[in-house]
Amino acid sequence: MAQDQHPDDDIDLAALATDDLVEQMHEDLYDGLADEIVEGTNLLLERGWSAQKVLDEALVEGMRIVGIDFRDGVLFVPEVLLAANAMKAGMEVLRPLLSESDVEPIGKVVIGTVKGDIHDIGKNLVAMMLEGAGFDVVDIGINTDVDGYLAALEEHQPDILGMSALLTTTMPYMKVVIDTLRDKGLRDDYIVLVGGAPLNEEFGQAIGADAYCRDAAVAAEIATQLMRERRTAAA
């Protein structure tokens, strides 16, 4: 579904009907065109769309399409990072409006790469997709040890803990974190999601995570689903 990039003077976004504008924003997001995403976001707001509607129908839906093609090998990390940066530009416009309108985030996530591992591209993509899906995301960075995770959990009181590893040698540290949470009686307080290239479903189950997320798009879907289930159970 690769889209053709359009020169700045090729398409006049303001002249498009609203449905066509949203469709064009999906394409511009796909192509990582940040300036066009900011312009489109502002145009939709001027046309009376709420910040939440712009987020859901223009940005999140656009990133969902990006996520599917990333998962299927049509897009690769550099292209997805460009799309994520374009989405971030649109989010900068929407964030103050979303906080004004008291839109409740779906949930809060603390995410970090485990001790010994300094890879962050995958984690950054997941954080961006989660933010795009309506989560409040606290990224605690790379090379995070148990104490770092525990401190972040205590400070931010999230619903979800996300851990990333890109090395087979650092994967087992995820179990160290989960076992420590269990020992402290904290395991059931959080949904624990794990991801990274060398992981798989069996590993996620073996270490006691709630779910293994094979890519950023899946992480956002699973996080949303598990939060809904937790809210329903608590109601």
Side-chain angles (χ1 to χ4, degrees), residues 1-19:
M1 174 189 166
Q3 315 288 351
D4 294 326
Q5 291 206 14
H6 61 77
D8 288 345
D9 59 357
D10 190 18
I11 293 177
D12 178 3
L13 296 180
L16 295 175
T18 299
D19 286 351

Side-chain angles (χ1 to χ4, degrees), residues 4-228:
D4 294 326
Q5 291 206 14
H6 61 77
D8 288 345
D9 59 357
D10 190 18
I11 293 177
D12 178 3
L13 296 180
L16 295 175
T18 299
D19 286 351
D20 294 335
L21 174 58
V22 172
E23 190 69 33
Q24 185 60 48
M25 285 177 71
H26 295 165
E27 296 191 11
D28 289 345
L29 198 55
Y30 196 97
D31 291 331
L33 304 177
D35 291 347
E36 284 81 350
I37 290 299
V38 169
E39 183 185 347
T41 298
N42 282 314
L43 283 167
L44 288 174
L45 292 170
E46 287 167 17
R47 294 181 188 187
W49 278 37
S50 69
Q52 187 68 47
K53 187 173 165 84
V54 177
L55 176 64
D56 292 342
E57 297 185 25
L59 300 186
V60 173
E61 177 58 21
M63 279 306 280
R64 190 185 69 78
I65 297 164
V66 169
I68 289 167
D69 277 8
F70 178 49
R71 182 191 69 203
D72 294 345
V74 179
L75 289 177
F76 299 97
V77 167
E79 295 153 310
V80 178
L81 283 175
L82 277 175
N85 283 333
M87 168 144 187
K88 205 169 194 173
M91 284 292 293
E92 292 300 315
V93 176
L94 295 177
R95 192 171 282 116
L97 300 171
L98 289 167
S99 58
E100 269 173 33
S101 61
D102 294 328
V103 174
E104 280 289 307
I106 295 178
K108 183 183 269 194
V109 182
V110 161
I111 188 170
T113 304
V114 296
K115 182 181 177 184
D117 205 318
I118 59 168
H119 294 91
D120 67 352
I121 289 177
K123 169 185 64 63
N124 294 350
L125 281 176
V126 172
M128 175 53 68
M129 292 293 275
L130 286 169
E131 195 167 76
F135 284 89
D136 182 5
V137 179
V138 179
D139 185 346
I140 57 174
I142 56 175
N143 195 23
T144 307
D145 62 13
V146 168
D147 291 340
Y149 283 113
L150 289 174
L153 293 173
E154 187 174 347
E155 179 184 351
H156 300 289
Q157 299 292 310
D159 304 287
I160 296 174
L161 168 61
M163 290 188 285
S164 168
L166 207 72
L167 303 171
T168 52
T169 50
T170 58
M171 284 165 54
Y173 198 80
M174 293 177 167
K175 186 173 188 304
V176 174
V177 176
I178 292 173
D179 287 348
T180 304
L181 288 175
R182 195 171 282 124
D183 292 345
K184 291 181 175 293
L186 299 171
R187 174 62 187 88
D188 293 341
D189 294 352
Y190 310 104
I191 295 166
V192 178
L193 304 181
V194 295
L199 278 68
N200 57 33
E201 193 84 44
E202 291 72 28
F203 177 79
Q205 289 173 358
I207 64 171
D210 289 292
Y212 152 72
C213 307
R214 73 174 178 270
D215 62 39
V218 168
E221 286 169 21
I222 289 176
T224 303
Q225 177 191 331
L226 291 177
M227 275 306 301
R228 286 204 184 111

Side-chain angles (χ1 to χ4, degrees), residues 229-235:
E229 288 171 9
R230 176 167 277 212
R231 293 250 161 102
T232 304

